[in-house]
Amino acid sequence: MFRLYSNSESSHVLCCAHFPEFSGSSPDEEFSTQRSFDRTVEKMLREASFDPTTLTLVGEQQGYPVGDRLFDATVPRTGTVSYAFQEAGPPWIVLGLDVSVDEFWSGIDDDEDLHGLGPTSPLRSVPATVLTETEWPRRSDLDSP
């Protein structure tokens, strides 16, 4: 899951964290899993010297982003995050790291899942600090059985 935040100085930070699996058998389990994820993101932010209370959520994407840059073994600590809001509206976005406008929209057209999210123009691009979990899985690891 990817969460893009901004602060009052118009700085941006992208948090990349794996959302824990849960059976979905009870609302309590879902709530507990969501809280656990929220705590993980807050910890990532604090460890990188960001105060979560000063940040505003720009948007969130669940699932694969456009391109593979966020799954590289050495994700950069900074980069340009390009994002478009989904048809469902904020806070739902589709994003990519260090992709051109053409690469972004081509990636959407070439991926049925991303296309199904219904990203809409305009595409926004912002410089951001990129934070990832220590144990961030590579995309190829996620695709294997």
Side-chain angles (χ1 to χ4, degrees):
M1 185 178 294
F2 305 93
R3 284 188 180 169
L4 180 62
Y5 295 95
S6 69
N7 64 20
S8 59
E9 290 86 39
S10 296
S11 308
H12 290 81
V13 60
L14 177 65
C15 290
C16 312
H18 183 71
F19 194 85
E21 291 188 32
F22 64 100
S23 68
S25 60
S26 78
D28 290 340
E29 180 188 16
E30 182 176 0
F31 178 78
S32 174
T33 302
Q34 181 67 54
R35 286 296 307 141
S36 174
F37 177 78
D38 293 340
R39 284 191 298 274
T40 296
V41 170
E42 288 174 13
K43 180 180 178 198
M44 290 169 60
L45 289 166
R46 290 187 194 286
E47 287 176 352
S49 300
F50 290 98
D51 178 358
T53 64
T54 65
L55 299 173
T56 301
L57 179 67
V58 173
E60 179 176 301
Q61 180 180 345
Q62 300 173 4
Y64 295 125
V66 175
D68 291 331
R69 187 73 174 124
L70 284 164
F71 293 99
D72 287 350
T74 55
V75 172
R77 294 283 299 168
T78 60
T80 300
V81 175
S82 297
Y83 68 96
F85 285 100
Q86 295 179 20
E87 288 175 348
W92 307 113
I93 61 174
V94 176
L95 62 83
L97 181 67
D98 296 332
V99 294
S100 69
V101 172
D102 289 339
E103 289 170 323
F104 184 89
W105 293 114
S106 178
I108 298 296
D109 291 339
D110 294 342
D111 187 303
E112 186 177 310
D113 291 332
L114 289 173
H115 191 267
L117 296 174
T120 60
S121 293
L123 181 66
R124 297 157 177 88
S125 295
V126 294
T129 300
V130 180
L131 306 177
T132 60
E133 285 184 293
T134 307
E135 297 290 323
W136 184 245
R138 293 191 319 255
R139 186 174 188 158
S140 58
D141 294 340
L142 296 173
D143 288 338
S144 35

